[in-house]
Amino acid sequence: MSAASCLLTEDQFLCSICLDVFTDPVTTSCGHNFCKACITQHWNVNVPYQCPNCNKLFYTRPELQVNTYISEMAAQFRQSAQQKASSSSSEQQADKPGEVPCDVCTGTKLKALKSCLVCLDSYCETHLEPHLTRSGLKKHQLIDPVENLEGRMCTKQDKLLELFCKTDQMCVCKLCTVLDHKNHDVVPLKEEYEGKKAELGKTEAEIQQMIQKRRLKIQEIKHSVELSEEDADRELANGVQVFTALKESVERRMNELLDMIKEKQRKTEKQAEGFIKELEQEISELKKRCTEVEQLSRSEDHLHLLQSFRTLNTAPPTKDCTGVRVSPPSYEGTVRRAVNQLEETLSKQMKKLFEAELKRVQKSAVDVTLDRDTAHPNLILSNDGKQVHDSDVKKNLPNNPKRFNCFVCVLAKQSFSSGRFYYKVQVKEKTEWILGVVRESINRKGKITMTPPNGYWTIWLRKKNEYKACADSRVRLSLKSQPQKVGVFVDYEEGLVSFHDVDAAALIYSFTGCCFTEKLYPYYGPGLNDGGKNSAPLIISPVNHTE
């Protein structure tokens, strides 16, 4: 039976209804075979009963029995087909997408294990065997399987590309070195490969370093965002606390004002009520006396009138009402005094805020020193570069393009092009000074208009205690006291330059909405010596974070 089944084809074991190998095959009287379930379902739907193959008509529905012979043949065929499929799957591994197929295999292409640079073919394990066993083929150069081996041949000479021309930066064959690349710097592919591989390793290392830098920058940015969130939360909490306190203070002062006004009015009304009550009582007494006098005047009893005249002829005792008056209470200055008290409360809160702000900006303190190459010839700098004053004597110095030749000033050596920075300067006992920051490209020769458009963000003290901010138009500053130490704070990205009275913990002035695109340098102008009246130096002071 096994031998017979091998002679039969797959079509002979297929049901013409389901087109699959027979299951429980039955045979009609006309000699055709079907799956029992298939022909049964067919006849359940189609009446009269006909053979699906030859259309023979059956007047009664045939009773069909399973054909055991056909059933056994179909079962054996099914088993043989399954074994064949399983064997083929396990013994032959066809190439997958992305893998190099064997060039010798016919039909199903198996995965290549090696490619030969001489034969220009790729081989699977079976077809590679001659290259591993035959002496003539053993000399061929084998490499890991690659596609397009023709691309490894010189298109001009049809020879293997074995060399690299460093002069023209291209792969060449041996024949090309004596024809098109004569006298060129030619090396074996392996040598150039090693060099380029080393370069790729270096490039990879550089790229990995760049990736690491960017990862660190991402961490830095995330950390900055976290710090910003912390600052925002802290500022929100402080703001809510301060404004809540101010709101409560305003409400308390308003209630005190209303209570005071109401109390004054209540006292006035009470005083008036007392006066009115007394006067009404006196009116009542006077009306009574008036009635008695009227009755006595009508009496014709001579004796009675004369006896009563002495007591009724005079008015009853009363107070002199001409001096009685109720003056409305004075409310002059009441609201003003309440507002003054509120201002004092607000001033205390502002002082606390400025103290907290000053502590925060002092965290951005930087160490700066004066740059002698920028100093005006009149200026004298200390050896440590921390102090400067005017000498009234112009020194003969080289014409340095960095040096100021008109304004008596000097810049710091340090510059800043991002982030925040803060420095502090002592201005004690000086009658003139200028402080701030300037951009790198400012004009340093001749007279200069010190304004932000020209690259200057500064404030100054002139004679007669006149403080001004050098904005587009000069802004006169009203300060409660003369600063002894001035702190200068810059937030580059925020576009902010602010000046602080360090001792008073008060804001002097702020430039806001600035647009910085260059390096910024701290700027110091000690002012003219003025015959010794302004000889005190500007001193760059170290920042004490506990101030």
Side-chain angles (χ1 to χ4, degrees):
M1 185 180 293
S2 176
S5 67
C6 295
L7 298 175
L8 298 174
T9 63
E10 182 179 0
D11 291 339
Q12 292 174 293
F13 292 94
L14 296 182
C15 170
S16 61
I17 296 176
C18 65
L19 301 179
D20 201 353
V21 178
F22 290 125
T23 301
D24 297 329
V26 294
T27 305
T28 61
S29 60
C30 57
H32 295 111
N33 299 307
F34 305 96
C35 295
K36 184 176 182 180
C38 292
I39 191 64
T40 299
Q41 184 178 8
H42 177 75
W43 283 344
N44 286 340
V45 176
N46 297 281
V47 178
Y49 311 113
Q50 287 182 307
C51 173
N53 284 356
C54 65
N55 294 326
K56 180 179 179 180
L57 183 65
F58 302 101
Y59 295 100
T60 60
R61 182 168 180 165
E63 293 185 4
L64 301 175
Q65 301 294 326
V66 175
N67 188 324
T68 56
Y69 178 79
I70 299 297
S71 179
E72 290 176 359
M73 293 283 288
Q76 188 169 351
F77 180 85
R78 184 183 292 107
Q79 182 179 2
S80 176
Q82 290 175 349
Q83 289 177 348
K84 184 178 179 181
S86 175
S87 175
S88 176
S89 174
S90 61
E91 293 179 3
Q92 295 189 1
Q93 294 183 355
D95 64 298
K96 300 176 182 178
E99 294 179 346
V100 179
C102 175
D103 291 321
V104 182
C105 287
T106 59
T108 302
K109 295 285 187 179
L110 301 184
K111 173 185 175 182
L113 297 182
K114 292 290 182 179
S115 295
C116 177
L117 294 179
V118 178
C119 302
L120 297 180
D121 281 326
S122 298
Y123 302 104
C124 65
E125 183 178 3
T126 301
H127 296 119
L128 180 64
E129 185 178 356
H131 279 75
L132 302 178
T133 58
R134 296 180 186 177
S135 58
L137 296 178
K138 282 185 178 181
K139 297 179 181 179
H140 289 192
Q141 185 178 355
L142 299 176
I143 62 172
D144 290 335
V146 294
E147 293 180 339
N148 189 26
L149 285 169
E150 292 79 5
R152 295 176 175 269
M153 302 294 291
C154 176
T155 55
K156 286 187 176 181
Q157 315 301 337
D158 198 25
K159 299 290 183 181
L160 185 65
L161 297 172
E162 301 179 78
L163 304 171
F164 185 82
C165 177
K166 302 184 76 170
T167 304
D168 294 334
Q169 289 293 300
M170 61 184 297
C171 298
V172 296
C173 68
K174 290 182 179 179
L175 187 56
C176 284
T177 59
V178 296
L179 296 176
D180 299 334
H181 299 268
K182 189 177 182 180
N183 299 325
H184 286 189
D185 185 7
V186 178
V187 297
L189 282 181
K190 186 175 182 181
E191 180 179 334
E192 186 65 18
Y193 162 83
E194 295 295 338
K196 288 293 191 288
K197 190 173 182 180
E199 288 183 20
L200 288 175
K202 183 179 179 181
T203 301
E204 182 182 5
E206 291 175 352
I207 293 173
Q208 289 295 339
Q209 188 176 8
M210 293 171 67
I211 292 173
Q212 185 62 22
K213 283 183 178 180
R214 279 149 182 79
R215 285 175 176 167
L216 291 174
K217 180 58 68 175
I218 289 174
Q219 293 178 359
E220 179 185 333
I221 293 171
K222 288 182 177 179
H223 182 62
S224 297
V225 172
E226 291 174 359
L227 293 178
S228 176
E229 289 177 351
E230 292 175 2
D231 290 344
D233 291 341
R234 183 174 57 252
E235 203 67 18
L236 284 171
N238 290 339
V240 170
Q241 182 180 358
V242 168
F243 278 94
T244 300
L246 288 175
K247 179 182 177 183
E248 291 174 354
S249 179
V250 169
E251 290 177 348
R252 185 171 58 254
R253 297 297 180 191
M254 181 182 69
N255 291 332
E256 289 175 357
L257 174 64
L258 296 177
D259 290 343
M260 182 184 64
I261 295 173
K262 289 178 180 179
E263 180 62 20
K264 283 188 175 183
Q265 179 62 17
R266 189 187 64 78
K267 287 182 178 179
T268 301
E269 291 175 354
K270 186 175 181 180
Q271 183 186 35
E273 288 174 359
F275 288 151
I276 291 171
K277 186 174 181 181
E278 289 182 6
L279 291 173
E280 286 179 343
Q281 189 174 356
E282 290 182 354
I283 290 172
S284 179
E285 292 294 330
L286 289 173
K287 284 183 176 180
K288 183 179 178 182
R289 178 61 62 87
C290 184
T291 301
E292 292 175 349
V293 170
E294 183 182 357
Q295 290 175 354
L296 184 61
S297 65
R298 292 197 192 101
S299 177
E300 295 181 0
D301 186 344
H302 301 160
L303 178 61
H304 174 67
L305 186 147
L306 292 175
Q307 288 177 340
S308 302
F309 179 81
R310 182 180 294 177
T311 57
L312 296 178
N313 189 45
T314 59
T318 57
K319 292 182 178 180
D320 185 5
C321 64
T322 58
V324 176
R325 65 180 61 185
V326 175
S327 300
S330 174
Y331 299 106
E332 187 68 29
T334 303
V335 177
R336 177 176 51 79
R337 285 191 295 272
V339 172
N340 286 341
Q341 290 176 342
L342 188 60
E343 285 181 345
E344 291 177 6
T345 302
L346 180 60
S347 179
K348 291 178 181 178
Q349 290 290 343
M350 290 295 290
K351 185 174 178 61
K352 290 181 181 179
L353 286 175
F354 281 129
E355 288 174 349
E357 181 180 348
L358 188 58
K359 288 180 180 179
R360 285 199 299 271
V361 301
Q362 285 175 343
K363 293 180 181 179
S364 304
V366 292
D367 183 21
V368 293
T369 53
L370 302 173
D371 185 358
R372 297 179 185 277
D373 291 339
T374 65
H376 186 276
N378 280 24
L379 296 181
I380 296 178
L381 278 62
S382 61
N383 292 333
D384 62 359
K386 298 293 185 180
Q387 301 185 26
V388 59
H389 68 277
D390 178 48
S391 66
D392 269 345
V393 178
K394 188 173 184 178
K395 297 186 291 293
N396 187 15
L397 298 174
N399 184 20
N400 188 328
K402 295 170 59 178
R403 190 182 308 282
F404 291 89
N405 67 354
C406 184
F407 273 20
V408 183
C409 58
V410 60
L411 301 183
K413 289 181 180 179
Q414 293 75 16
S415 64
F416 305 91
S417 56
S418 64
R420 303 171 180 176
F421 63 94
Y422 171 85
Y423 66 91
K424 183 177 67 175
V425 184
Q426 179 178 303
V427 295
K428 186 178 179 180
E429 298 178 358
K430 293 196 65 61
T431 59
E432 290 186 17
W433 51 259
I434 304 177
L435 291 174
V437 293
V438 297
R439 66 182 177 220
E440 184 177 30
S441 63
I442 56 169
N443 179 22
R444 308 184 188 195
K445 309 299 181 183
K447 292 186 177 181
I448 304 165
T449 302
M450 302 178 66
T451 60
N454 290 332
Y456 289 79
W457 293 268
T458 58
I459 63 172
W460 68 16
L461 166 64
R462 291 287 189 172
K463 294 179 181 179
K464 298 180 181 179
N465 196 26
E466 183 181 289
Y467 293 90
K468 288 187 177 181
C470 301
D472 293 344
S473 57
R474 298 291 183 259
V475 178
R476 191 181 185 92
L477 306 177
S478 298
L479 307 183
K480 293 182 178 180
S481 61
Q482 285 191 320
Q484 302 298 301
K485 296 176 184 176
V486 176
V488 182
F489 173 71
V490 177
D491 188 327
Y492 196 96
E493 283 75 21
E494 189 69 20
L496 171 69
V497 182
S498 60
F499 300 84
H500 301 260
D501 184 337
V502 176
D503 296 324
L507 178 67
I508 298 174
Y509 186 78
S510 287
F511 291 93
T512 58
C514 309
C515 182
F516 302 129
T517 58
E518 302 179 22
K519 293 179 180 178
L520 297 179
Y521 287 84
Y523 176 95
Y524 308 87
L528 299 176
N529 187 282
D530 194 20
K533 295 179 182 178
N534 190 36
S535 60
L538 288 177
I539 303 174
I540 301 174
S541 305
V543 175
N544 183 1
H545 295 284
T546 61
E547 288 178 325

